C-alpha cells in the first residue's frame, strides 16, 4: 500500500488552485497566497521555494544551454506558467539584461535578450526561453509588482509576458496609473502632496496656505499639525486678496501648497470632520493640481469610467475661482498670480453628460455652480484688463507678477541675467536677489519677465513662437477657448437653466462689446452681477468669431496666426493650435476645408502632429537651443484637440490617421523602453529621449512604470476611442503608419515622410542617446 501523503498545512498546490486570468490587475493577480507544485515523486523536498539557479549566458555562450528534447513541455498542453523565485530572478534579470544600470530593460541594453524560466507543472525542472526586450521588460515589471505584494515565490502566466501591448498599457493606465497619480490634501494625504520637486529654496518644511474665508479649514490643518508633529507642518492663512503681486513675491522664500476643496464627513466618533476631495496630478516634478493638464486628464478619466474623480477636479476649480480669483496654473503659492488655458465649461459639460440620471436636480445644481464660476472667471480674468485688449477685443495671456519665476531650475535664467550682473559688477545670484527685492531697476528685464510669465500662463513654456512678445499676443488658441466658453455658457443657460441664470456672487461684469470707451465707462460707473441670459453670450461668441476672422485668419496662407496687439500685425509663426478653432467650432466649413487640405500636411509627421513647423522655428544652434513646444516635439493637448476638431467637422479619417500615428509612437516606446509613458515626444525621430530645455518627465522609474504621465495617459485612452478594431490590432503589432496607410502618392508628401522614415527603432534610440554623449 502506498504511504499516506503529508504536506505542511496551509499549502495550496497549483493544480488545486483556481487558475487566474493572465491579464488581471496586479493587486488581484498577486494578492492571493503562495501556491506550490507537486513534483512527480510527491516529495516534499521542493515545496518550500526550490528554484534551479541557472547561470546567465552571454553572447557566444548561448550554445551551452541544453537542447530542447522531444519530451519537453509543449505549449499545446495548455497555457504555460512559470514557477519563479522573485528576488533571485530580479537579480538575474538585472545582472544579465540591464547593461546600462538604469533598472529598466530596453532596446538600448546589450544583454542577450533571452532567459530560461522553469515551468510550474515541472516544478521548475523543465525550462522555456523568454526572448526579446518586450517579454523581458514585462518579466521585470511583473517581478517588481509581485515584490510590492510581498510575494517571495510566484506562479506567473506566460500571458502576462506576451500580453497585447495596447491592452497592457490601457489596462495599466486604467487600473494603476490613475491611482498612483491620485492626491488628497488632508491628514491622510498631506505627506505625499506637500513634497515639491520644484522647490529650490533649500527649505523643505511642509506648508499649507489656507484661504482667508475658510476658518474651519485652517483649524482642521492646525489639528493635523498637532496630531502629526513629525511633519512639522506650517499652516498659514492667506489675506483676503491673496494674488497681490508683491505679496506673492514675498512667499517665494517660503513656498507652500494651496488648500483645495474639502467635504464634510462623519469622523467615526459621532462628530464631523473634513476630508480632501481626491484629484489627479500630472506626475513627475508636477505634484499638485494643474489647470489645463486637468482638462485632458479628465477626458481620460471619463473614458475609464472615473466620473466621480473628474467631478471632484471641477470642484477644486470652483474653489480656486472663489478663493484665489482664478483657476491657478498650479496649486502652489508661486502660482497665485497666474492661470492657464481655460477649459472649465467643456470640462463641466462633459462630466454633466455622464452623471447618474437618477438625480437630475442635483446634477443641475452642480452644473450651475460650475457655470457660475466660469462666468466669474471669464469676466474678471479673461475679458478684464490687463488680459483684454480693448482696441481689438482680443484676450491675451498677461498675468501679474514681480521678479523672477521661482519654480524654474536654478540656472534657467542665467544667460538672461548675466549681462545685467556684469553691468552692475556683481554675481548673478546677488543681482537676482537685488532685482527681486526692487533694489536694482531694469525696465528691459521687467518687460522680459512680463512675457516670460505670459508664456508660462499660456501652458506653452517655452517656444520661439512667444519669445519676448507673448503678453502682447492675441493667440488663436486662447480666442478659440474663449469662443467655446461663450457658446458653452450660452447653451447651458438656454438648455439647462430656462434661459436665465442668477449669479450667487457679485463681481464686475466686463462691458460688451469690449471697446476702449466701454471699459473707461465701466470703470467709472461700475457694473456688478445681474441675471445672465443666452442671448448675450451668443452675441459675445459671434463678436469673438468676427474678431478671429478679422485679426487671426490668413486667407492666403489657409491658417490662423497670432495677432500682436502692440505692433498691430499678425505674427506668422505656424502653430498647430490653429486647429483648436475646429475643436471650438469657430471656423467656417470653408476655413476648415482649407486648414485640412492646405495646412494639415505642414504639421503631420510620422508620429503625429508637431507643435509648429520647422520653418517657423528657425535654425537651432548653441546660442539658439531647442524649445520644447516647437518642432519637432509632439504633445498630447495638440493631438487630442485636433482629433476632436477634425471629427467635429466630419473629417473622421484624418482624425483616425493622426490618432494612429501618435498611438503607434506611444506603443513602440512602451514596448521598447520598459513601459515608458513620457510627457512628450520627438515625433519626427519617434523618441522620448528629447533634447530640450526641460528634458522629459515620466522617465525616472525603476523596474516598473508607476504613473505614466497624466495627459499622455489620457491621449492613449482617448486615442483608442478613435481607432477601428483593425487599427487597434495594427498598433498592437507596432505596424508603422508608413506601412499601414501606404506610401504617399505624390512626391511632396513622400519627401515629408522621408524625413521621418527611419525604420529601425534601435537606431532611433541610439541616435537619441548620443545627445548626452
Amino acid at each position: 500500500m502506498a504511504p499516506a501523503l503529508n504536506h505542511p498545512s496551509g499549502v495550496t498546490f497549483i493544480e488545486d488552485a483556481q487558475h487566474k486570468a493572465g491579464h488581471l490587475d496586479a493587486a488581484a493577480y498577486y494578492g492571493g497566497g503562495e501556491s506550490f507544485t507537486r513534483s512527480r515523486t510527491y516529495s516534499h523536498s521542493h515545496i518550500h521555494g526550490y528554484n534551479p539557479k541557472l547561470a546567465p549566458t552571454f553572447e557566444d555562450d548561448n550554445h551551452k544551454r541544453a537542447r530542447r528534447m522531444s519530451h519537453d513541455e509543449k505549449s499545446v498542453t495548455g497555457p504555460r506558467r512559470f514557477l519563479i523565485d522573485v528576488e533571485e530572478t530580479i537579480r538575474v534579470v538585472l545582472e544579465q539584461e540591464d547593461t546600462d544600470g538604469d533598472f529598466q530593460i530596453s532596446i538600448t541594453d546589450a544583454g542577450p535578450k533571452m532567459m530560461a524560466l522553469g515551468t510550474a507543472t515541472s516544478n521548475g525542472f523543465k525550462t522555456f526561453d523568454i526572448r526579446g526586450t518586450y517579454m523581458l521588460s514585462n518579466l521585470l515589471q511583473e517581478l517588481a509588482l509581485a515584490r510590492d505584494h510581498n510575494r517571495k515565490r510566484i506562479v506567473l502566466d506566460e500571458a502576462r509576458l506576451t500580453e497585447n501591448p495596447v491592452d497592457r498599457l490601457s489596462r495599466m493606465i486604467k487600473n494603476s496609473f490613475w491611482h498612483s497619480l491620485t492626491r488628497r490634501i488632508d491628514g491622510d494625504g498631506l505627506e505625499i502632496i506637500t513634497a515639491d520637486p520644484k522647490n529650490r529654496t533649500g527649505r523643505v518644511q511642509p506648508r499649507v496656505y489656507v484661504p482667508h474665508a475658510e476658518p474651519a479649514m485652517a483649524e482642521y490643518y492646525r489639528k493635523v499639525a498637532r496630531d502629526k508633529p513629525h511633519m512639522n507642518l506650517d499652516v498659514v492663512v492667506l489675506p483676503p486678496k491673496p494674488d497681490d503681486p508683491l505679496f506673492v513675491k514675498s512667499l517665494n522664500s517660503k513656498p507652500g501648497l494651496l488648500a483645495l476643496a474639502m467635504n464634510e464627513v462623519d469622523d467615526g466618533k459621532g462628530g464631523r470632520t473634513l476630508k480632501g476631495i481626491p484629484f489627479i496630478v500630472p506626475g513627475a516634478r508636477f505634484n499638485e493640481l494643474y489647470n489645463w493638464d486637468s482638462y485632458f486628464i479628465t477626458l481620460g478619466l471619463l473614458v475609464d469610467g472615473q466620473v466621480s474623480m473628474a467631478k471632484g477636479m471641477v470642484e477644486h476649480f470652483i474653489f480656486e475661482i472663489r478663493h484665489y480669483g482664478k483657476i491657478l496654473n498650479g496649486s502652489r503659492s508661486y502660482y497665485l498670480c497666474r492661470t492657464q488655458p481655460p477649459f472649465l465649461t467643456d470640462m463641466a459639460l462633459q462630466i454633466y453628460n455622464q452623471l447618474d440620471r437618477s438625480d437630475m436636480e442635483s446634477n443641475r445644481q452642480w452644473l450651475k455652480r460650475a457655470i457660475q464660476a466660469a462666468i466669474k472667471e471669464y469676466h474678471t480674468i479673461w475679458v478684464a484688463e490687463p488680459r483684454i485688449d480693448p482696441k481689438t477685443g482680443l484676450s491675451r495671456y498677461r498675468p501679474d507678477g514681480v521678479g523672477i519665476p521661482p519654480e524654474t531650475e536654478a540656472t534657467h535664467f542665467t544667460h538672461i541675467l548675466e549681462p545685467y550682473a556684469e553691468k552692475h559688477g556683481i554675481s548673478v545670484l546677488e543681482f537676482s536677489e537685488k532685482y527681486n527685492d526692487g533694489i536694482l531697476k531694469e525696465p528691459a528685464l521687467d518687460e522680459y519677465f512680463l512675457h516670460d510669465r505670459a508664456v508660462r500662463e499660456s501652458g506653452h513654456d517655452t517656444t520661439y513662437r512667444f519669445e519676448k512678445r507673448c503678453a502682447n499676443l492675441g493667440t488663436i488658441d486662447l480666442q478659440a477657448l474663449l469662443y467655446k466658453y461663450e457658446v458653452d455658457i450660452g447653451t447651458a443657460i438656454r438648455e439647462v437653466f430656462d434661459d436665465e441664470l442668477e449669479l450667487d456672487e457679485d463681481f464686475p461684469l466686463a462691458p460688451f462689446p469690449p471697446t476702449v470707451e466701454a471699459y473707461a465707462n465701466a470703470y467709472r460707473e461700475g457694473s456688478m452681477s445681474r441675471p445672465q441670459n443666452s442671448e448675450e453670450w451668443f452675441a459675445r461668441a459671434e463678436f469673438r468669431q468676427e474678431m478671429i476672422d478679422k485679426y487671426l485668419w490668413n486667407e492666403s496662407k489657409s491658417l490662423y496666426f497670432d495677432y500682436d496687439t502692440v505692433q498691430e500685425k499678425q505674427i506668422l509663426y505656424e502653430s498647430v493650435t490653429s486647429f483648436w478653432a475646429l475643436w471650438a467650432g469657430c471656423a467656417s466649413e470653408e476655413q476648415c476645408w482649407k486648414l485640412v487640405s492646405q495646412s494639415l500636411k505642414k504639421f503631420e509627421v510620422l508620429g503625429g502632429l508637431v507643435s509648429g513647423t520647422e520653418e517657423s522655428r528657425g535654425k537651432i544652434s548653441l546660442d539658439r537651443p531647442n524649445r520644447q513646444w516647437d518642432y519637432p516635439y509632439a504633445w498630447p493637448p495638440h493631438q487630442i484637440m485636433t482629433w476632436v476638431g477634425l471629427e467635429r467637422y466630419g473629417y473622421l479619417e484624418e482624425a483616425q490617421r493622426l490618432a494612429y500615428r501618435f498611438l503607434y509612437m506611444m506603443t513602440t516606446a512602451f514596448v521598447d523602453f520598459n513601459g515608458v509613458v513620457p510627457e512628450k515626444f520627438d515625433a519626427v525621430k519617434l523618441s522620448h529621449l528629447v533634447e530640450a530645455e526641460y528634458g522629459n518627465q515620466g522617465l525616472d522609474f525603476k523596474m516598473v512604470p508607476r504613473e505614466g504621465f497624466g495627459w499622455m495617459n489620457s491621449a492613449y485612452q482617448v486615442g483608442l476611442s478613435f481607432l477601428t478594431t483593425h487599427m487597434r490590432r495594427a498598433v498592437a503589432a507596432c505596424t508603422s503608419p508608413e506601412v499601414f496607410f501606404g506610401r504617399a502618392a505624390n512626391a511632396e508628401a513622400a519627401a515629408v515622410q522621408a524625413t521621418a522614415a527611419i525604420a529601425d527603432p534601435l537606431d532611433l534610440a541610439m541616435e537619441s542617446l548620443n545627445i548626452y554623449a
Side-chain angles (χ1 to χ4, degrees):
M1 179 183 242
L5 300 179
N6 298 313
H7 57 74
S9 61
V11 169
T12 300
F13 293 107
I14 294 168
E15 56 268 37
D16 298 332
Q18 183 178 3
H19 177 56
K20 295 178 179 178
H23 300 164
L24 288 175
D25 182 49
Y29 190 78
Y30 296 112
E34 305 286 354
S35 297
F36 301 96
T37 59
R38 293 187 175 96
S39 67
R40 291 194 174 110
T41 61
Y42 300 99
S43 161
H44 291 165
S45 60
H46 307 308
I47 286 178
H48 296 293
Y50 173 80
N51 190 38
K53 303 299 187 293
L54 300 176
T57 61
F58 297 95
E59 298 176 351
D60 297 333
D61 293 336
N62 284 325
H63 68 278
K64 297 179 181 178
R65 197 180 295 285
R67 292 179 61 191
R68 294 190 61 75
M69 301 297 180
S70 59
H71 58 267
D72 283 353
E73 289 188 339
K74 305 294 192 300
S75 60
V76 294
T77 60
R80 188 179 288 112
R81 291 187 284 167
F82 303 107
L83 188 62
I84 295 176
D85 181 296
V86 173
E87 293 299 330
E88 174 64 14
T89 310
I90 287 176
R91 182 193 68 78
V92 173
V93 170
L94 292 175
E95 178 183 308
Q96 173 178 306
E97 301 292 346
D98 180 26
T99 59
D100 59 10
D102 63 354
F103 291 88
Q104 299 176 17
I105 309 301
S106 68
I107 58 173
T108 56
D109 285 307
K113 300 292 172 70
M114 181 173 71
M115 183 176 177
L117 296 180
T119 60
T121 53
S122 70
N123 205 31
F125 283 101
K126 300 295 184 182
T127 64
F128 183 81
D129 287 339
I130 301 302
R131 298 172 180 266
T133 299
Y134 181 60
M135 288 187 73
L136 283 163
S137 68
N138 285 352
L139 173 61
L140 184 62
Q141 292 172 46
E142 295 299 326
L143 294 171
L145 293 171
R147 175 195 275 176
D148 289 347
H149 291 83
N150 299 312
R151 298 295 299 273
K152 305 299 183 187
R153 175 181 168 97
I154 61 171
V155 176
L156 180 65
D157 289 79
E158 185 181 17
R160 292 186 78 83
L161 306 182
T162 60
E163 186 176 0
N164 177 307
V166 170
D167 294 344
R168 183 177 179 87
L169 176 51
S170 184
R171 173 178 62 81
M172 291 174 76
I173 291 169
K174 180 177 181 179
N175 297 330
S176 176
F177 291 176
W178 293 138
H179 176 74
S180 296
L181 291 170
T182 299
R183 302 287 186 272
R184 287 210 323 264
I185 306 181
D186 58 19
D188 295 328
L190 270 171
E191 293 184 65
I192 298 175
I193 187 68
T194 51
D196 185 6
K198 300 181 298 306
N199 179 8
R200 53 183 174 87
T201 66
R203 302 177 179 89
V204 294
Q205 179 183 12
R207 183 178 290 107
V208 59
Y209 287 100
V210 184
H212 188 270
E214 292 286 347
M217 192 176 289
E219 183 52 40
Y220 168 84
Y221 287 120
R222 292 189 188 106
K223 184 177 185 302
V224 171
R226 292 192 298 269
D227 293 345
K228 297 187 174 183
H230 67 279
M231 282 188 63
N232 193 28
L233 178 67
D234 185 19
V235 181
V236 182
V237 176
L238 291 165
K241 182 174 170 50
D243 58 349
D244 175 77
L246 289 175
F247 171 73
V248 175
K249 183 181 76 67
S250 74
L251 302 181
N252 287 351
S253 61
K254 43 189 176 184
L257 186 70
L258 298 172
L260 294 175
M262 305 182 82
N263 286 327
E264 188 175 313
V265 299
D266 291 329
D267 63 1
K269 303 173 184 177
R272 305 287 287 173
T273 188
L274 296 176
K275 185 173 184 179
I277 299 174
F279 57 91
I280 305 292
V281 300
R285 70 192 293 261
F286 305 109
N287 188 36
E288 52 272 317
L289 180 73
Y290 278 79
N291 186 340
W292 76 319
D293 292 73
S294 294
Y295 169 72
F296 295 102
I297 288 169
T298 292
L299 298 181
L301 291 173
L302 293 178
V303 170
D304 287 336
Q306 296 199 37
V307 180
S308 179
M309 179 71 76
K311 185 181 178 185
M313 293 169 80
V314 170
E315 290 288 349
H316 291 309
F317 287 165
I318 296 171
F319 182 94
E320 286 189 339
I321 291 170
R322 181 190 311 126
H323 293 294
Y324 304 128
K326 61 184 71 68
I327 301 176
L328 300 172
N329 181 160
S331 57
R332 301 277 179 188
S333 55
Y334 41 77
Y335 290 136
L336 275 165
C337 287
R338 194 190 313 158
T339 183
Q340 270 193 329
F343 284 94
L344 178 56
T345 58
D346 190 75
M347 188 176 177
L349 288 171
Q350 295 239 25
I351 295 166
Y352 176 75
N353 289 330
Q354 294 199 32
L355 293 176
D356 185 351
R357 291 292 190 264
S358 63
D359 189 355
M360 288 303 295
E361 181 56 30
S362 175
N363 297 350
R364 188 173 175 273
Q365 291 303 314
W366 177 82
L367 182 63
K368 180 180 180 181
R369 293 173 51 244
I371 296 298
Q372 286 176 332
I375 291 172
K376 179 182 178 182
E377 181 203 22
Y378 174 89
H379 278 289
T380 61
I381 298 295
W382 294 115
V383 294
E385 294 184 315
R387 288 178 179 83
I388 190 71
D389 174 45
K391 186 172 182 179
T392 61
L394 299 175
S395 298
R396 303 166 295 187
Y397 295 111
R398 200 177 177 93
D400 292 323
V402 177
I404 303 169
E407 79 276 12
T408 58
E409 288 81 356
T411 59
H412 184 77
F413 294 110
T414 298
H415 66 294
I416 299 297
L417 300 175
E418 278 178 343
Y420 294 95
E422 291 175 3
K423 181 175 108 174
H424 292 278
I426 55 180
S427 69
V428 170
L429 178 61
E430 186 179 355
F431 173 80
S432 299
E433 292 173 349
K434 290 185 175 181
Y435 172 72
N436 274 342
D437 291 340
I439 298 172
L440 295 177
K441 306 291 186 182
E442 291 290 350
L445 200 55
D446 294 344
E447 178 78 7
Y448 173 86
F449 283 117
L450 167 66
H451 295 304
D452 182 83
R453 286 190 295 272
V455 170
R456 298 176 191 285
E457 184 167 82
S458 78
H460 293 75
D461 48 334
T462 63
T463 165
Y464 288 114
R465 171 190 175 198
F466 291 156
E467 190 94 338
K468 299 179 182 179
R469 62 189 177 207
C470 186
N472 297 336
L473 298 181
T475 67
I476 176 56
D477 34 286
L478 181 54
Q479 311 318 309
L481 294 177
L482 292 176
Y483 173 87
K484 186 69 158 56
Y485 253 46
E486 292 154 350
V487 171
D488 286 348
I489 292 170
T491 302
I493 291 173
R494 185 184 65 192
E495 302 296 331
V496 183
F497 305 115
D498 300 324
D499 213 20
E500 181 174 284
L501 180 65
E502 291 282 351
L503 298 179
D504 293 341
E505 188 177 351
D506 274 339
F507 50 83
L509 296 179
F512 179 76
T515 63
V516 175
E517 295 78 10
Y519 269 86
N521 293 334
Y523 286 123
R524 184 168 56 250
E525 300 170 4
S527 176
M528 300 306 289
S529 300
R530 51 178 165 71
Q532 303 288 294
N533 61 66
S534 63
E535 182 180 357
E536 177 183 342
W537 286 97
F538 291 137
R540 286 180 177 272
E542 184 178 354
F543 174 82
R544 189 174 299 275
Q545 185 176 29
E546 291 172 359
M547 295 306 101
I548 290 172
D549 288 344
K550 178 179 179 180
Y551 293 110
L552 308 185
W553 175 250
N554 190 308
E555 183 70 21
S556 65
K557 295 183 180 295
S558 300
L559 203 64
Y560 292 98
F561 292 97
D562 303 329
Y563 183 81
D564 191 314
T565 59
V566 173
Q567 297 186 23
E568 298 187 346
K569 67 176 185 179
Q570 284 186 352
I571 301 300
L572 299 181
Y573 182 105
E574 296 171 323
S575 170
V576 75
T577 56
S578 288
F579 291 88
W580 291 26
L582 305 185
W583 175 87
C586 61
S588 67
E589 294 291 340
E590 183 180 359
Q591 286 169 329
C592 177
W593 178 80
K594 289 185 175 181
L595 282 169
V596 175
S597 63
Q598 302 298 319
S599 297
L600 184 60
K601 60 189 175 184
K602 295 180 179 180
F603 306 96
E604 184 174 354
V605 296
L606 185 60
L609 293 168
V610 290
S611 301
T613 62
E614 185 175 16
E615 180 183 4
S616 291
R617 180 203 64 186
K619 297 285 187 182
I620 296 301
S621 65
L622 289 175
D623 297 328
R624 196 173 184 273
N626 265 323
R627 300 283 189 239
Q628 64 176 0
W629 286 92
D630 286 329
Y631 178 94
Y633 303 119
W635 293 78
H638 294 162
Q639 318 302 315
I640 295 172
M641 295 288 278
T642 306
W643 301 341
V644 174
L646 289 169
E647 182 185 37
R648 175 174 189 160
Y649 281 78
Y651 292 90
L652 180 58
E653 288 187 6
E654 286 78 4
Q656 290 177 320
R657 184 180 72 241
L658 294 172
Y660 184 99
R661 289 183 180 281
F662 196 71
L663 267 61
Y664 163 77
M665 180 168 60
M666 286 188 66
T667 304
T668 54
F670 179 80
V671 167
D672 292 339
F673 288 91
N674 209 113
V676 71
V677 181
E679 173 192 37
K680 58 181 175 285
F681 279 98
D682 179 331
V684 174
K685 294 182 178 179
L686 300 186
S687 176
H688 63 284
L689 302 169
V690 302
E691 185 181 10
E693 70 257 65
Y694 294 111
N696 209 348
Q697 302 298 314
L699 314 185
D700 188 18
F701 62 87
K702 289 180 169 50
M703 297 197 289
V704 60
R706 304 287 183 178
E707 302 176 341
F709 195 85
W711 59 20
M712 193 69 78
N713 297 340
S714 282
Y716 205 75
Q717 304 299 67
V718 173
L720 287 176
S721 70
F722 278 85
L723 301 189
T724 64
T725 302
H726 178 46
M727 286 176 155
R728 182 174 175 132
R729 289 171 179 165
V731 168
C734 294
T735 304
S736 168
E738 296 273 87
V739 174
F740 188 80
F741 295 108
R743 293 284 173 175
N746 57 70
E748 181 182 359
V752 172
Q753 300 291 352
T755 63
I758 304 175
D760 188 350
L762 180 58
D763 288 345
L764 288 166
M766 297 308 294
E767 179 183 319
S768 298
L769 287 175
N770 288 338
I771 67 176
Y772 301 109

